Amino acid sequence: MTIMLGMNDGNYKAFDQQLFDTYAAGFKHIVETARKQLPGIRITAIQPSPYDDVTRAPMFEGGYNKVLLRFSDFLKQLAADEKLGWPI
């Protein structure tokens, strides 16, 4: 199973802790539910793709790609904690 979330989940705005917490809880729930319903499933979490803050001026300080990097860091940790396929 491949799960790809992330690019739109930051809502294209500066980092929002509440929004991030919802994303993290939702991702953990997806992993938990998939494993419960499909024992032995292999899950690979795919990190959000980079956002182009270079050819388009950033909409806020630090740019949206910086937000996506925080989401990616979460996925790396989740993959390690839950022994998922390495985030790609």
Side-chain angles (χ1 to χ4, degrees):
M1 171 182 226
T2 300
I3 301 172
M4 185 174 180
L5 304 172
M7 174 54 90
N8 299 317
D9 294 315
N11 282 347
Y12 297 94
K13 61 182 184 178
F15 183 79
D16 177 314
Q17 187 66 50
Q18 184 176 355
L19 187 64
F20 175 79
D21 291 344
T22 300
Y23 168 85
F27 214 109
K28 289 176 184 178
H29 177 73
I30 289 169
V31 170
E32 179 183 304
T33 301
R35 283 191 166 155
K36 187 175 184 179
Q37 293 183 8
L38 302 165
I41 189 172
R42 289 181 10 192
I43 301 172
T44 300
I46 300 176
Q47 295 170 302
S49 58
Y51 183 80
D52 183 3
D53 285 319
V54 176
T55 60
R56 287 181 254 169
M59 299 174 280
F60 48 84
E61 188 173 333
Y64 190 57
N65 196 58
K66 187 174 180 180
V67 173
L68 295 179
L69 288 172
R70 290 184 77 174
F71 282 64
S72 293
D73 289 342
F74 160 75
L75 286 179
K76 286 178 190 176
Q77 188 61 54
L78 181 68
D81 293 347
E82 295 294 328
K83 296 175 181 43
L84 303 179
W86 188 251
I88 53 176

